[in-house]
Amino acid sequence: MPVLEPELRIERNDHAKFRKLVAKAQQHAPVKVAVAHPCDQVSLESAVEAAKLNLIDPILVGPAQRIRSVAAEHGIDISGFEVVDAAYSQDSADKAVELVRGGRAGALMKGSLHTDELMGAVVKRDTGLRTSRRISHCFVMVVPDHDQPLIITDAAVNIAPDLKGKVDITQNAIDLAHALGADEVRVAILSAMESVNPDVPSTLEAAALCKMADRGQITGAVLDGPLALDNAISMEAAAIKKIKSPVAGRANVLVVPDLEAGNMLAKSLSFLADADAAGIVLGAKVPIILTSRADEETARLASCAVAELLVAARQASAAAAIQ
């Protein structure tokens, strides 16, 4: 299998935009994060490095002896962090969620357990972190040679969301874009074409979402759709198709038809276009930092920065509401 030369990747992508994101997050106090089951080098090191950058203040939740063994084996200093003992991975997830419910943590972070285990604890009706919103995932992607970050949703949680689910998925992404400091949020509802076609359900849902935004059922952004990917992000492609829209060619939020399309789009950008990707789960009572062991350190730290900015935005909104 051919392997990209490391020098080529560094030359194409120096992570400058993600470093700016981290720097912006560092202007706020670090958020207390319950890290569920950080029982391998990558997950434990990620939490510790984010703490060193004052992005998070981690509580390490998992089998205490195992966490300390991993730290000792890889030379990771965890002496300054609280460790909450748990028997096994599902117990780690449950106890991490309990820390949030008890007000001791303002965000969750996935360790080396399976995503399903963590999300299973999050969505439990009586002991989880549900809200009135549908839980959804967003990738914040920085693509070399593209002028602005792209938020792609949902590529990890909702497999085949219906129209009602897509309302929450879209609103979650809009709120994230505002938290990251977007001056204007322009949402493209993606499909394979830019015309409404009764034989293609995603085009009908796109049209409905845009009308719902017109009626104030989705707020904080300009929506357009259906749009094909090229029409959403390329001014030239939009001009060729003679699409006149404040979103076409300038979208900074991409709402995909289903998980398969979103996952393929995000991974294509990562592996073929050398894009950086930070992952976050929204719609729960707190942000959930969802990273992969395949992520570079920069992407894992950026995910922590995104969570920090979300928490800061929510605190600012709550303070403004009181006044």
Side-chain angles (χ1 to χ4, degrees):
M1 179 182 293
V3 178
L4 288 176
E5 292 293 334
E7 293 79 4
L8 179 59
R9 291 183 64 88
I10 293 171
E11 182 182 339
R12 290 189 63 207
N13 190 351
D14 63 2
H15 309 298
K17 291 178 182 176
F18 265 4
R19 286 201 296 271
K20 289 180 181 178
L21 183 69
V22 169
K24 183 176 182 179
Q26 288 174 321
Q27 298 173 13
H28 304 281
V31 61
K32 200 77 160 178
V33 175
V35 186
H37 210 68
C39 293
D40 65 0
Q41 180 183 1
V42 170
S43 59
L44 187 58
E45 212 164 45
S46 298
V48 171
E49 289 301 314
K52 288 179 181 177
L53 291 175
N54 289 320
L55 296 173
I56 68 172
D57 181 9
I59 302 173
L60 309 176
V61 186
Q65 185 175 355
R66 186 173 169 188
I67 291 172
R68 293 190 175 101
S69 295
V70 171
E73 180 182 354
H74 298 285
I76 305 170
D77 183 8
I78 61 170
S79 58
F81 306 120
E82 180 182 358
V83 178
V84 174
D85 191 34
Y88 45 86
S89 57
Q90 189 60 66
D91 190 37
S92 301
D94 291 338
K95 288 184 175 177
V97 168
E98 284 177 17
L99 289 173
V100 172
R101 289 176 60 88
R104 294 197 54 211
L108 281 177
M109 183 173 180
K110 175 181 174 289
S112 57
L113 76 176
H114 290 295
T115 299
D116 288 349
E117 291 178 290
L118 180 60
M119 296 309 299
V122 169
V123 301
K124 286 182 179 177
R125 293 196 176 276
D126 297 327
T127 59
L129 300 174
R130 285 173 175 264
T131 68
S132 60
R133 289 262 189 100
R134 172 74 66 92
I135 289 175
S136 62
H137 178 275
C138 287
F139 277 120
V140 180
M141 306 207 70
V142 174
V143 185
D145 301 325
H146 194 68
D147 62 340
Q148 59 186 327
L150 294 171
I151 294 174
I152 297 174
T153 189
D154 181 337
V157 173
N158 293 282
I159 298 172
D162 58 13
L163 178 60
K164 185 177 180 180
K166 286 183 179 179
V167 172
D168 286 345
I169 289 169
T170 302
Q171 192 66 63
N172 286 342
I174 292 169
D175 294 348
L176 171 60
H178 283 295
L180 297 182
D183 295 328
E184 182 183 29
V185 184
R186 299 176 295 274
V187 181
I189 314 299
L190 297 184
S191 184
M193 60 198 70
E194 63 279 354
S195 301
V196 176
N197 184 336
D199 294 326
V200 184
S202 62
T203 68
L204 298 175
E205 291 177 344
L209 288 168
C210 293
K211 182 51 66 177
M212 293 172 85
D214 290 343
R215 296 288 188 264
Q217 294 170 269
I218 299 171
T219 61
V222 180
L223 275 66
D224 196 10
L227 288 172
L229 178 62
D230 55 346
N231 304 323
I233 62 173
S234 167
M235 294 290 288
E236 181 180 2
I240 291 171
K241 291 288 184 73
K242 298 181 180 179
I243 301 172
K244 296 180 180 180
S245 159
V247 174
R250 304 173 62 237
N252 49 16
V253 174
L254 305 177
V255 177
V256 299
D258 54 34
L259 182 145
E260 290 175 311
N263 196 272
M264 291 177 193
L265 172 58
K267 288 183 177 176
S268 294
L269 291 174
S270 292
F271 288 93
L272 297 177
D274 201 29
D276 282 326
I280 198 80
V281 171
L282 307 165
K285 291 181 180 178
V286 299
I288 302 168
I289 303 163
L290 209 61
T291 58
S292 166
R293 284 174 292 180
D295 290 340
E296 293 186 14
E297 182 182 66
T298 305
R300 296 195 299 270
L301 295 175
S303 298
C304 294
V306 169
E308 164 61 15
L309 290 170
L310 277 165
V311 171
R314 290 180 181 183
Q315 291 173 342
S317 178
I322 293 173
Q323 294 176 355

